[in-house]
């Protein structure tokens, strides 16, 4: 099985859409690896895995721990580690922290949230041989400072700003950009303007790829379901039913039977 590289992904611009899914451990990374092009160790793990209210409190050590596990499971997929909030506030700190990701894990790239204001940071990383996946539009790390999860591109000014953001991140050397929570027509225009691929989440179909958070798409995260999530499995229901069956079996002494005993 050949590892997917940056060049493979760049060549997918305007071709078969890139597929990306999040994973936080080796077990699920192994399951997804045969199918998807990319696996994102997203800081969304702080919410869906850590049961926190937002992504902001996860730290770099935790991201590295989960990225190591995912890399052990992902033999083929291109693995991206999300740089957590506060880990790339200036060039020096960003280089130090992203270098830790490269040195301590087998991640192929890091992801940075931010537009033109973060372009200098992205450039510092790419100039230091660290591959960067950009992330513009609705950026969960900005949720507290912006007062919520706000859909972008709703007016002409917002559209212009997003295009400037995308171009700045491309110029800074990012190999692709995640566009999250952006009106479909604006995401389409950004995709047309850029030479690098765009990967959408809540950004419509006219982008170069799609990403979803695994616990959302497989129905394990029950707190809320964003509009853009298609539920491919009723995971929570299945797990609850199976857990209930196990508990009933144990309580009714139906488990373990001889089949599951050493005799
Ligand atoms: O953390 C994450 O899972 C992400 C995706 C929503 C793109 O950044």
């Amino acid at each position: 099985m050949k590892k997917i590289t940056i060049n493979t992904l760049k060549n997918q611009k305007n071709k078969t859409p890139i597929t990306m899914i999040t994973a936080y451990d080796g077990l699920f990374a192994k399951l997804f690896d045969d199918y998807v092009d990319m696996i994102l160790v997203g800081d969304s793990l702080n919410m869906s895995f850590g049961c926190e209210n937002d992504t902001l409190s996860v730290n770099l050590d935790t991201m590295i721990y989960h990225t190591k596990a995912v890399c052990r499971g992902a033999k083929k997929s291109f693995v991206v580690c999300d740089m957590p909030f506060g880990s790339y506030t200036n060039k020096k700190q960003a280089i130090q922290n992203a270098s830790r990701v490269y040195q301590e894990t087998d991640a192929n790239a890091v992801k940075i949230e931010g537009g033109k204001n973060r372009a200098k940071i992205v450039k510092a990383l790419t100039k230091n041989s660290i591959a960067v996946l950009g992330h513009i539009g609705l950026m969960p790390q900005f949720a507290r400072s912006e007062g919520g999860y706000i859909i972008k591109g709703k007016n002409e000014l917002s559209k212009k700003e997003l295009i400037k953001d995308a171009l700045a991140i491309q110029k800074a050397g990012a190999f692709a950009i995640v566009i999250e929570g952006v009106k479909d027509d604006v995401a389409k225009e950004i995709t047309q303007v850029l030479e690098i691929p765009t990967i959408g989440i809540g950004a419509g179909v006219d982008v170069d790829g799609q990403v979803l958070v695994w616990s959302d798409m497989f129905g394990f995260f029950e707190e809320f379901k964003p509009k853009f999530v298609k539920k491919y499995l009723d995971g929570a229901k299945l797990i609850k039913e199976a857990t209930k069956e196990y508990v009933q079996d144990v309580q009714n002494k139906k488990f373990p039977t001889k089949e599951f005993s050493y005799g």
Side-chain angles (χ1 to χ4, degrees):
M1 234 190 312
K2 239 175 111 194
K3 188 86 181 167
I4 290 178
T5 65
I6 285 203
N7 288 336
T8 331
L9 297 168
K10 278 185 171 172
N11 285 337
Q12 270 176 255
K13 175 97 189 159
N14 298 325
K15 296 198 185 117
T16 316
I18 295 170
T19 52
M20 179 157 83
I21 191 168
T22 67
Y24 313 132
D25 57 61
L27 183 73
F28 274 83
K30 241 193 248 177
L31 295 177
F32 303 150
D33 194 42
D34 276 349
Y35 305 100
V36 296
D37 299 312
M38 301 174 78
I39 295 182
L40 170 67
V41 189
D43 59 0
S44 53
L45 68 83
N46 205 43
M47 297 171 78
S48 52
F49 194 88
C51 295
E52 295 285 356
N53 287 328
D54 58 31
T55 62
L56 273 62
S57 56
V58 68
N59 63 28
L60 188 64
D61 286 341
T62 304
M63 292 308 298
I64 285 177
Y65 171 84
H66 287 277
T67 303
K68 275 185 187 170
V70 166
C71 289
R72 281 183 221 117
K75 301 292 175 226
K76 185 213 74 188
S77 315
F78 186 96
V79 176
V80 180
C81 170
D82 228 350
M83 293 300 287
F85 178 77
S87 69
Y88 50 100
T89 56
N90 59 60
K91 290 194 260 183
K92 191 172 167 215
Q93 182 207 30
I95 293 168
Q96 266 170 0
N97 285 332
S99 298
R100 271 195 67 197
V101 173
Y102 262 18
Q103 288 181 325
E104 296 177 36
T105 81
D106 286 331
N108 303 101
V110 297
K111 180 164 79 60
I112 297 282
E113 288 186 14
K116 46 196 172 306
N117 296 339
R118 287 265 162 80
K120 278 190 185 145
I121 305 257
V122 173
K123 189 169 178 187
L125 294 177
T126 56
K127 288 275 169 238
N128 280 279
S129 313
I130 295 164
V132 176
L133 173 63
H135 183 155
I136 61 166
L138 186 163
M139 295 173 286
Q141 290 181 12
F142 289 68
R144 283 194 212 170
S145 61
E146 289 186 353
Y149 298 95
I150 296 158
I151 302 302
K152 300 288 165 64
K154 285 188 169 173
N155 55 49
E156 203 49 33
L157 179 64
S158 173
K159 177 175 129 180
K160 280 189 179 145
E161 289 305 309
L162 284 166
I163 293 175
K164 278 189 204 159
D165 284 341
L167 287 170
I169 296 301
Q170 171 175 266
K171 194 167 172 215
F175 70 91
I177 301 183
V178 168
I179 305 179
E180 178 168 358
V182 167
K183 297 278 284 175
D184 297 13
D185 56 326
V186 177
K188 180 179 178 182
E189 199 166 328
I190 296 170
T191 302
Q192 285 168 345
V193 163
L194 292 183
E195 284 163 20
I196 57 174
T198 56
I199 302 173
I201 173 162
V205 79
D206 294 313
V207 284
D208 299 303
Q210 297 290 336
V211 54
L212 281 178
V213 171
W214 80 268
S215 41
D216 290 340
M217 64 186 289
F218 296 134
F220 287 100
F221 188 67
E222 290 184 290
E223 276 65 24
F224 60 87
K225 191 192 86 60
K227 180 176 163 60
F228 59 80
V229 172
K230 179 173 172 186
K231 218 162 128 180
Y232 286 86
L233 188 78
D234 211 345
K237 189 166 168 254
L238 292 173
I239 293 289
K240 282 179 185 175
E241 279 169 8
T243 309
K244 196 170 150 197
E245 193 182 330
Y246 163 70
V247 167
Q248 281 169 351
D249 276 2
V250 170
Q251 287 174 342
N252 297 326
K253 293 219 166 247
K254 282 188 169 170
F255 175 84
T257 53
K258 283 262 179 286
E259 190 192 347
F260 305 103
S261 304
Y262 291 107

